[in-house]
Amino acid sequence: MSEFNSAIAGDGSASVLPSSYQLQECSLRTNSGKKFIINDLITGIQIEESLYKSSMAVTIRIEDSLNFLEQALISGNERIRLRIKHTELKKNSKTKKKFFFEVYIAEINNFNRVKPGLNRYQFECYSEHMYINSTKKLSRPFKGSIGSIVETICKKDLKLKKRPIATHRLNEINTETKDIVKGIFPRIRPLSAISWLLRNSFDNKT
């Protein structure tokens, strides 16, 4: 029988193999400021990102024999930083990419006591702007182009930062929308406000 290798050099298939990703570090910062490296507690990580969702969703599965939840006083809102390395096989060489994620714990669910001294559960985590969105409501007047209002919400309310993209330029929000609008936000979440504004926006070509 011929030997089967699931990672075929040069065809890009390694990008979908779990074994081509390696967790370098997962650090958790508690609400009291303490830092823990929890690599040894993690049994799996699922990262979901979509154009149809407002935030990256990260599920971290934990197998805990240290009573970590109680020892670290984990209650939600803790910051988690993930460093992941991806190795893709190519002809005669290996290329490596590194990814960095910073998310916040929104929920702790699927808690299961497998046996005495061993618990399983998972952290449901989201990007910082999604965490901020859940703690804030807008209740103020607005006036200007829809693009500039959205930019203000993103930068001042959701604390979104400019991030470098592949061309080494900084991604910007397009503020060249037509017409001036004005109104009042009636105690609405920032992302809900952006969604409403975008449904009623036109750029200067349409």
Side-chain angles (χ1 to χ4, degrees):
M1 180 182 292
S2 60
E3 184 178 355
F4 176 75
N5 185 357
S6 60
I8 303 173
D11 74 341
S13 61
S15 62
V16 297
L17 295 176
S19 58
S20 66
Y21 293 87
Q22 178 184 355
L23 176 64
Q24 292 188 303
E25 182 178 287
C26 180
S27 63
L28 183 149
R29 180 80 64 176
T30 67
N31 295 320
S32 63
K34 294 181 179 179
K35 180 180 177 180
F36 296 90
I37 305 298
I38 61 172
N39 293 43
D40 294 338
L41 301 179
I42 296 174
T43 61
I45 299 174
Q46 179 179 328
I47 300 172
E48 186 176 356
E49 189 173 18
S50 170
L51 292 174
Y52 303 102
K53 293 188 176 182
S54 301
S55 169
M56 175 187 298
V58 179
T59 299
I60 302 175
R61 292 189 291 275
I62 301 291
E63 204 162 272
D64 179 10
S65 61
L66 305 174
N67 200 18
F68 177 70
L69 282 180
E70 294 185 13
Q71 295 289 340
L73 300 177
I74 304 300
S75 59
N77 306 330
E78 290 81 6
R79 184 181 68 193
I80 289 181
R81 288 180 171 176
L82 292 162
R83 294 186 184 275
I84 297 174
K85 181 176 69 175
H86 173 236
T87 302
E88 183 175 352
L89 298 180
K90 288 190 174 182
K91 294 179 179 179
N92 303 323
S93 67
K94 291 184 178 181
T95 59
K96 297 181 180 179
K97 298 178 182 179
K98 294 183 179 180
F99 302 93
F100 172 77
F101 305 99
E102 184 174 282
V103 292
Y104 288 76
I105 298 177
E107 294 181 77
I108 304 169
N109 56 27
N110 290 348
F111 187 92
N112 181 24
R113 190 176 299 278
V114 182
K115 59 183 180 180
L118 180 61
N119 300 319
R120 286 178 183 162
Y121 49 88
Q122 61 189 39
F123 295 142
E124 300 292 343
C125 309
Y126 297 95
S127 302
E128 181 182 18
H129 68 271
M130 193 62 146
Y131 164 72
I132 293 174
N133 180 70
S134 66
T135 64
K136 180 177 290 189
K137 287 187 178 181
L138 303 183
S139 180
R140 63 170 185 256
F142 61 85
K143 182 179 179 180
S145 69
I146 289 180
S148 63
I149 297 170
V150 170
E151 183 179 40
T152 298
I153 295 173
C154 289
K155 291 181 178 180
K156 292 187 177 180
D157 297 297
L158 296 177
K159 308 298 182 185
L160 283 171
K161 302 178 179 66
K162 297 177 182 179
R163 297 185 183 275
I165 55 178
T167 57
H168 303 293
R169 294 176 297 177
L170 293 177
N171 53 330
E172 295 280 357
I173 297 171
N174 181 11
T175 59
E176 296 179 357
T177 49
K178 292 181 63 176
D179 300 331
I180 300 299
V181 297
K182 61 180 179 179
I184 298 175
F185 292 126
R187 291 186 57 80
I188 188 173
R189 301 287 185 193
L191 288 177
S192 297
I194 289 174
S195 178
W196 181 85
L197 288 166
L198 292 180
R199 286 198 304 269
N200 293 277
S201 66
F202 299 87
D203 63 27
N204 53 16
K205 294 182 181 178
T206 58

